[in-house]
């Protein structure tokens, strides 16, 4: 039986990855951090599985990583833990660097030390991000595109990427970074733009909310489905040689397109836009105001356009995204409409 450790198991990706590995017959150790209120809603449905073991820990505390390594004796280690919300990284830049950047180094050091002292080998996955490309120097972005991060979060991810590559090259470790473009799902946190849109529009459609307030409608992202993307993480670690891979759909859409599509699926009809810039407003098919701009959601520095080129992953892993942009929006709106009805 293969054993894997997942840090960040309570997050969107961690929960889908745990499901995938358990289905494949793995024993999964999930690291969770102590919280004063429950943070396990995305994995509660897995806790009856005897092959799913939860251990307390924190990637800023190397000793906690070492304890889990000694107990689990894993063959794969997925580091998904991060302060992952970009705006928060301007509010708490040092904290973000400690968790999202130095946390990677602590995992790498703990794995290196464990390998040296036990003679066992571990395959290490680092959750990299398209935010590393930031103010992208070429379009589309692939594994050779230079990085130009635009936030403390992006900088921390670049640090994690370079550390992972350096541990691979210095210590001959099996360590790689998956450079994943935005991926979403009904389990996405409510502050990220896609889920904020689908959840708020579902509430508006159900008469529980009136307005969706957003920032930059023109930002473009390459959005995929999280379930497709965790499969790519696993596939990367099944290769003979460790290599970094871009995982993306190869399509880009604006926030505006996402809102328009989601409004249609939520039964609000085709949005009519009036006004310009921060005065722009969106009206539903009954001319009711449903979208407006709030300056507080603009960022100090924006990533305007992300578009990934997943050719290497397609060729070498045989991976390709299964879920289209339209399907993704539909899945998320449907899930939020059902959630709102359940709560009623
Ligand atoms: P997420 O939902 O925000 O989950 C982040 C996870 O990290 C949560 O389980 C969180 O625990 C945990 N965590 C935070 N600080 C920690 C610490 N100090 N020690 C241990 N665990 C900690 O993020 P996600 O969307 O699943 O993303 C997973 C990873 O992929 C992250 O590293 C993210 O930066 C990266 N990534 C995501 C995307 C995307 O589009 N989703 C794209 C590229 C890269 P709590 O539940 O207790 O907060
Ligand atoms: O959904 P977002 O907050 O995601 P962002 O910043 O692209 O980061 C996500 O994807 C990264 C991969 O590229 C991950 F590494 C990272 O951990 C995270 O998962 O914002 C997307 C875009 C931005 O351009 C933002 O300015 O949407 C724009 N936006 C417009 N109005 C908004 C809003 N974003 C948020 N969160 N909230 C708004 O009201």
């Amino acid at each position: 039986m293969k054993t894997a450790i997942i840090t960040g198991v309570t997050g969107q990706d961690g929960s889908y990855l745990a499901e995938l590995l358990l289905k494949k017959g793995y024993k999964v150790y999930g690291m969770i951090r102590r919280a004063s209120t429950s943070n396990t809603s995305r994995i509660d449905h897995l806790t009856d599985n005897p092959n799913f073991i939860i251990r307390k820990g924190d990637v800023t505390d190397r000793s906690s990583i070492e304890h889990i390594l000694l107990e689990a004796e894993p063959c794969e280690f997925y580091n998904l833990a991060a302060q992952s919300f970009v705006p928060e990284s301007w509010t708490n830049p040092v904290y973000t660097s400690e968790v999202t950047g130095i946390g990677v180094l602590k995992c790498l050091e703990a794995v290196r030390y464990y390998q040296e002292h036990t003679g066992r080998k571990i395959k290490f996955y680092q959750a990299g991000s398209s935010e590393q490309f930031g103010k992208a120097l070429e379009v589309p972005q692939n594994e050779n595109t230079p990085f130009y991060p635009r936030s403390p979060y992006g900088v921390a991810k670049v640090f994690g990427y370079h550390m992972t590559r350096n541990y691979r090259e210095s210590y001959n470790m099996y360590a790689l970074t998956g450079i994943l473009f935005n991926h979403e799902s009904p389990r996405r946190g409510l502050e990220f733009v896609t889920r904020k849109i689908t959840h708020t529009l579902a509430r508006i459609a159900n008469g529980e909310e009136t307005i969706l307030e957003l920032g930059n409608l023109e930002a473009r992202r390459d959005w995929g489905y999280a379930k497709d993307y965790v499969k790519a993480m696993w596939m990367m670690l099944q290769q003979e040689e460790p290599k970094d891979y871009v995982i993306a759909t190869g399509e880009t859409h604006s926030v505006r397109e996402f809102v328009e599509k989601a409004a249609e699926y939520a039964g609000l009809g085709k949005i009519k836009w009036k006004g310009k810039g921060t005065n722009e407003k969106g009206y539903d098919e009954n001319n009711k105001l449903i979208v407006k701009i709030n300056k507080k959601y603009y960022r100090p520095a924006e990533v305007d356009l992300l578009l990934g080129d997943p050719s290497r992953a397609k060729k070498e892993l045989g991976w390709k995204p299964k879920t289209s942009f339209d399907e993704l929006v539909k899945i998320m709106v449907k899930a939020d409409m059902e959630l709102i009805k359940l709560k009623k």
Side-chain angles (χ1 to χ4, degrees):
M1 182 186 247
K2 280 182 156 186
T3 300
I5 292 178
I6 304 175
T7 70
V9 75
T10 56
Q12 170 189 257
D13 291 4
S15 62
Y16 284 125
L17 181 64
E19 278 171 13
L20 178 80
L21 297 183
L22 288 167
K23 235 181 244 163
K24 288 188 179 295
Y26 279 65
K27 187 172 195 177
V28 175
Y29 279 76
M31 178 201 270
I32 70 166
R33 31 177 206 163
R34 194 241 157 216
S36 62
T37 52
S38 173
N39 57 358
T40 57
S41 62
R42 295 185 181 104
I43 53 166
D44 283 340
H45 62 293
L46 298 176
T47 47
D48 284 344
N49 188 325
N51 290 328
F52 185 55
I53 296 139
I54 287 174
R55 290 290 177 260
K56 291 271 167 62
D58 194 301
V59 290
T60 60
D61 182 338
R62 185 178 145 181
S63 66
S64 70
I65 308 165
E66 286 172 349
H67 279 117
I68 301 176
L69 278 166
L70 283 173
E71 182 186 340
E73 302 182 336
C75 52
E76 294 172 11
F77 188 115
Y78 296 85
N79 180 37
L80 308 188
Q83 189 302 92
S84 75
F85 190 46
V86 173
E88 181 72 17
S89 79
W90 280 287
T91 315
N92 286 301
V94 176
Y95 172 75
T96 301
S97 304
E98 278 167 358
V99 177
T100 308
I102 302 291
V104 184
L105 178 55
K106 290 193 176 162
C107 292
L108 284 165
E109 268 296 287
V111 169
R112 179 173 82 88
Y113 185 82
Y114 173 86
Q115 291 193 152
E116 279 180 11
H117 286 80
T118 61
R120 293 171 189 272
K121 287 271 179 204
I122 297 179
K123 291 180 168 180
F124 180 85
Y125 175 88
Q126 164 56 15
S129 164
S130 47
E131 280 291 307
Q132 292 167 212
F133 299 121
K135 192 172 179 177
L137 294 171
E138 62 184 14
V139 182
Q141 298 89 44
N142 64 29
E143 292 80 3
N144 299 315
T145 303
F147 297 135
Y148 191 147
R150 291 274 275 176
S151 63
Y153 169 83
V155 173
K157 284 290 181 187
V158 170
F159 175 87
Y161 165 88
H162 283 303
M163 272 300 170
T164 304
R165 186 175 55 73
N166 272 272
Y167 271 60
R168 176 167 76 227
E169 293 172 3
S170 308
Y171 303 115
N172 197 25
M173 275 171 65
Y174 190 113
L176 59 80
T177 299
I179 307 172
L180 272 54
F181 282 63
N182 299 52
H183 46 280
E184 320 293 314
S185 76
R187 294 189 196 168
R188 188 55 142 153
L190 286 168
E191 72 271 61
F192 296 92
V193 78
T194 56
R195 184 76 200 289
K196 178 175 171 181
I197 293 168
T198 61
H199 189 254
T200 312
L201 290 181
R203 283 173 59 84
I204 291 174
N206 276 282
E208 293 188 1
E209 180 121 25
T210 49
I211 306 279
L212 167 63
E213 289 195 356
L214 291 169
N216 180 9
L217 295 177
E218 310 312 334
R220 301 186 73 87
R221 291 289 182 275
D222 180 330
W223 278 298
Y225 185 32
K227 263 193 174 180
D228 293 345
Y229 284 42
V230 297
K231 190 146 183 233
M233 296 176 186
W234 173 78
M235 288 170 120
M236 285 179 220
L237 290 199
Q238 309 316 307
Q239 304 305 301
E240 279 290 309
E241 295 296 322
K243 256 191 211 177
D244 305 320
Y245 291 92
V246 157
I247 299 297
T249 67
E251 264 184 42
T252 187
H253 297 273
S254 64
V255 172
R256 185 190 298 279
E257 284 174 70
F258 197 104
V259 183
E260 288 173 348
K261 188 113 321 217
E264 278 180 41
Y265 289 138
L268 297 163
K270 193 170 159 45
I271 295 191
K272 282 169 280 197
W273 299 102
K274 290 182 191 160
K276 285 235 151 36
T278 49
N279 291 321
E280 188 165 12
K281 293 186 171 57
Y283 298 84
D284 73 5
E285 59 186 5
N286 300 317
N287 290 320
K288 192 171 145 294
L289 176 66
I290 55 167
V291 186
K292 67 181 195 190
I293 306 300
N294 187 330
K295 270 201 274 192
K296 80 173 179 192
Y297 296 115
Y298 279 91
R299 298 178 178 187
E302 179 61 282
V303 169
D304 296 313
L305 166 65
L306 290 176
L307 173 63
D309 170 9
S311 304
R312 181 191 278 179
K314 279 188 181 162
K315 189 161 167 255
E316 297 181 14
L317 306 178
W319 178 88
K320 59 173 196 267
K322 286 198 182 132
T323 314
S324 69
F325 176 72
D326 280 19
E327 284 164 347
L328 173 67
V329 182
K330 198 184 262 180
I331 289 168
M332 292 180 70
V333 170
K334 187 168 179 276
D336 275 324
M337 296 290 271
E338 280 164 11
L339 189 72
I340 305 297
K341 275 184 198 132
L342 266 179
K343 281 190 180 158
K344 268 197 167 177

